[in-house]
Structure formats: C-alpha cells, structure tokens
C-alpha cells in the first residue's frame, strides 16, 4: 500500500533490489533468467535459494572467480532431491525459530517433472513449507536439449530428432501443474513472462502461502536456443501459448480454482507453432493431436474453475 492505494506491480519491482548478478551467462532472450530475477526480487534477501543442475544453475547462479551469481545463500542440489533438500532446510529454520526465512526453489522441468518428481510429490503431499517454481522450457536445455516429459508432442530435440524413423517426440506432454494441484497443496498456479502483472501477483501469493504449506508455480519459459526462434520473440511466443490455450493461466488456493485469463476467441495451435524450429516437421496428425490436447486442457481448467463459482 502507498498513500491508501495498492502499488502497481511496476512500482513494486522498481523498489525491490535485484538479487541476481547484473551480468549472467544465460542465452539472449532467456525466459528462465527473467523468471529467476523476478522470483528473487520479490523474495528478497531473507531467502535460501535452491537451484538444481540446469540452465539457471549454470548461467544464473554459479558466477565467476569464486563469487556467486546470487546475493543470497544458494544451494545446487542434485536433479532428484531438490524438494527433499528444501524440506530439511524448512524444518531447520522452523526449529531455529526463523520461520520468516523464505525457502525457494527455481528448477527446470527435467528436475521437476522427471528426475525430481518423487521428492517433489512427497514434499507436496506432506505440505512442506516452501515455494517451488518450475521454469518449463520443455527439455534438458543445459545439456544439449534432450526431451523431457513436459516437451510438446512432435518437438525436435537431440533425443527425438526429425527423421524417417522418428520425427520429433512421439508422446504427449505431461501437464504437471494440475498433477501438483491435485496433491491438495496450499497454492498452485501457472504463469508466463508475457503477463508480468499476473506472474508478480502469483509469486507474491506463493511466497505468502509457503508460510502455511507447499506452494507451486509452473512458468511457461520458451527457449530461443533450444526451440530455434529469434531471440527477441520470447514474450511473443509466451503470449501465443496462452492465446492458443497451450498454456492456460489459472491458480488454485483454499477457495478453489480460478481461471485468470478467459480465452473466448483462441488462436489455432498452428499459429503458436509457426516460426518455431522445433515444430518445423509437425505432421497433420501431430498438429491435430496437439490441438486436441490444448482444447481439452483449457476445458478441464474451465470446468474446475466453474465448480467454485
């Protein structure tokens, strides 16, 4: 609040210091770096950060000449134990009488949906007090872009090449946000760099919810390098993902599900995939399958939101 009015998200960000080094080695146009900076800007210096191996561990956190790229204590756990590591931290600070410390993870989709899902699911089910943010660039980008379970069907990756024997990923993507929401967590939301106001508000809600239990935010984070699109198109690609219902914006808290962006006139998935290199060999069947998945996902979220008014 300022002068009896609510501060805008721009005013909030303007007043919060950056907790990440001014210069990092992330690729140009990296959505993951933007997510890391905004999460930490809102979490502040009273934070313990965990970043498992991945793009943001290598380019956003490690730093140079024995200096960390972060202005807060940071740990790089294994790919498979981030949430369990954070659980230990959370309990330690609770028992030390320092429950005000923010316990935050910023992790890629591989460390979240695949390798780290067991510990993530366990922490969510137990209601551990933490905020877990997944920057989803649909692949293991830090090691050359291998497919993950969140990779969209038909995508070219180094392990799902475009050829005669196989033409892109053959399986549909795992929709992780709803899986986490169904754990009965304190707070769950989706976000994109396109709608910064929405993302800032959800990070704030997630941080507040993490004092009561488990909070999870899944951020759609397109990767210019791995996906093969121009570096200045990250925000536009994020926008088209929402506009095509590939990535609906919603949240779930104690009052139920809320659809944050009602998309009454969606664009076709073909419009979203246009100009993105990893989709250049989509077959008509794959395009139809992706369109069906997007339509079904949006309808599901709408139905859940309708149940709660």
């Amino acid at each position: 609040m300022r002068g009896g009015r609510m501060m805008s998200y721009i005013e909030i960000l303007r007043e919060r210091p950056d907790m990440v080094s001014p210069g990092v080695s992330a690729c140009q146009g990296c959505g993951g770096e933007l997510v890391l900076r905004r999460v930490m800007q809102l979490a502040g210096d009273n934070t313990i950060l965990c970043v498992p191996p991945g793009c943001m561990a290598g380019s956003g956190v490690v730093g140079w000449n024995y200096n960390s790229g972060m202005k807060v204590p940071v740990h790089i756990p294994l790919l498979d134990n981030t949430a369990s590591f954070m659980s230990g931290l959370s309990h330690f600070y609770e028992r030390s009488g320092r429950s005000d410390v923010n316990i935050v993870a910023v992790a890629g989709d591989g460390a979240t949906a695949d390798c780290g899902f067991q510990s993530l699911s366990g922490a969510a089910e137990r209601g551990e007090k933490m905020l877990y943010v997944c920057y989803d660039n649909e692949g293991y980008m830090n090691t050359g872009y291998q497919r993950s379970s969140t990779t969209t069907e038909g995508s070219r990756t180094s392990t799902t090449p475009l050829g005669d024997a196989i033409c892109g990923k053959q399986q549909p993507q795992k929709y992780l946000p709803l899986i986490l929401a169904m754990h009965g967590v304190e707070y769950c939301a989706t976000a994109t760099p396109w709608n910064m106001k929405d993302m800032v508000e959800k990070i704030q809600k997630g941080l507040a919810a993490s004092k009561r239990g488990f909070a999870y935010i899944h951020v759609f984070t397109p990767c210019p390098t791995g996906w093969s699109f121009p570096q200045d198109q990250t925000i536009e690609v994020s926008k088209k993902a929402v506009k095509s219902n590939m990535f609906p914006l919603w949240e779930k808290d104690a009052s139920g599900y809320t659809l944050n962006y009602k998309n009454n006139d969606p664009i076709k998935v073909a419009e979203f995939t246009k100009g993105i290199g990893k989709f250049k060999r989509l077959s008509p069947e794959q395009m139809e399958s992706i369109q069906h998945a997007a339509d079904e996902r949006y309808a599901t979220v709408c139905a859940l939101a309708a149940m709660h008014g």
Side-chain angles (χ1 to χ4, degrees):
M1 297 286 292
R2 173 183 288 169
R5 67 174 180 84
M6 294 295 294
M7 293 175 63
S8 71
Y9 79 97
I10 296 176
E11 291 174 313
I12 293 170
L13 294 177
R14 184 183 295 130
E15 294 188 355
R16 301 290 181 93
D18 197 342
M19 294 289 108
V20 185
S21 170
V24 298
S25 59
C27 301
Q28 290 186 337
C30 175
E33 179 190 346
L34 183 59
V35 172
L36 176 67
R37 288 187 184 277
R38 291 298 169 262
V39 169
M40 293 310 304
Q41 197 173 5
L42 294 165
D45 58 6
N46 191 31
T47 300
I48 307 294
L49 175 65
C50 290
V51 183
C55 296
M56 288 304 99
S59 64
V61 169
V62 173
W64 305 268
N65 300 325
Y66 304 102
N67 292 318
S68 170
M70 301 297 301
K71 300 176 184 178
V72 299
V74 59
H75 298 272
I76 302 179
L78 302 176
L79 272 171
D80 58 354
N81 72 346
T82 302
S84 56
F85 186 93
M86 292 172 64
S87 297
L89 285 176
S90 180
H91 284 281
F92 170 80
Y93 281 101
E94 282 274 326
R95 294 178 183 181
S96 300
R98 297 182 60 189
S99 58
D100 62 317
V101 176
N102 296 313
I103 307 299
V104 177
V106 178
D109 49 284
T112 303
D114 297 341
C115 300
F117 184 73
Q118 181 183 26
S119 64
L120 176 66
S121 177
E125 184 270 333
R126 294 191 304 272
E128 303 286 3
K129 295 179 180 179
M130 64 179 72
L131 170 61
Y132 192 109
V133 180
C134 173
Y135 63 96
D136 184 3
N137 49 30
E138 296 193 8
Y140 293 80
M141 302 298 177
N142 193 49
T143 50
Y145 188 19
Q146 295 82 28
R147 59 88 89 191
S148 78
S149 60
T150 68
T151 305
T152 300
E153 180 183 356
S155 298
R156 171 203 37 83
T157 74
S158 62
T159 48
T160 58
L162 303 180
D164 295 330
I166 180 175
C167 193
K169 187 188 176 194
Q170 302 299 293
Q171 300 80 20
Q173 67 181 161
K174 177 193 294 185
Y175 190 54
L176 192 62
L178 269 183
I179 297 174
L180 264 296
M182 293 300 175
H183 281 68
V185 297
E186 191 71 26
Y187 183 73
C188 183
T190 63
T192 77
W194 166 58
N195 193 329
M196 187 56 64
K197 178 179 183 294
D198 179 75
M199 186 164 79
V200 166
E201 291 174 351
K202 286 172 176 176
I203 294 170
Q204 291 177 310
K205 290 178 183 179
L207 287 166
S210 71
K211 302 305 177 187
R212 305 186 299 271
F214 189 92
Y216 179 80
I217 303 176
H218 196 102
V219 188
F220 180 81
T221 316
C223 170
T225 304
W227 293 23
S228 298
F229 64 82
Q231 298 161 347
D232 62 355
Q233 292 297 303
T234 299
I235 302 303
E236 184 65 20
V237 172
S238 300
K239 176 182 178 179
K240 287 182 177 180
V242 177
K243 294 281 190 178
S244 64
N245 291 334
M246 282 290 291
F247 194 82
L249 296 178
W250 56 270
E251 62 188 326
K252 178 186 180 295
D253 56 19
S255 63
Y257 291 84
T258 301
L259 184 66
N260 305 119
Y261 182 80
K262 295 182 179 180
N263 197 9
N264 297 321
D265 188 23
I267 64 174
K268 293 293 184 181
V269 166
E271 182 65 22
F272 161 70
T273 61
K274 186 187 302 181
I276 300 176
K278 74 169 185 172
F279 292 125
K280 67 180 182 180
R281 289 274 301 276
L282 287 177
S283 68
E285 292 76 20
Q286 287 173 322
M287 185 67 77
E288 183 180 355
S289 178
I290 299 169
Q291 182 69 63
H292 175 75
D295 294 343
E296 185 177 54
R297 183 175 301 159
Y298 184 72
T300 299
V301 174
C302 286
L304 289 168
M307 290 172 59
H308 301 91

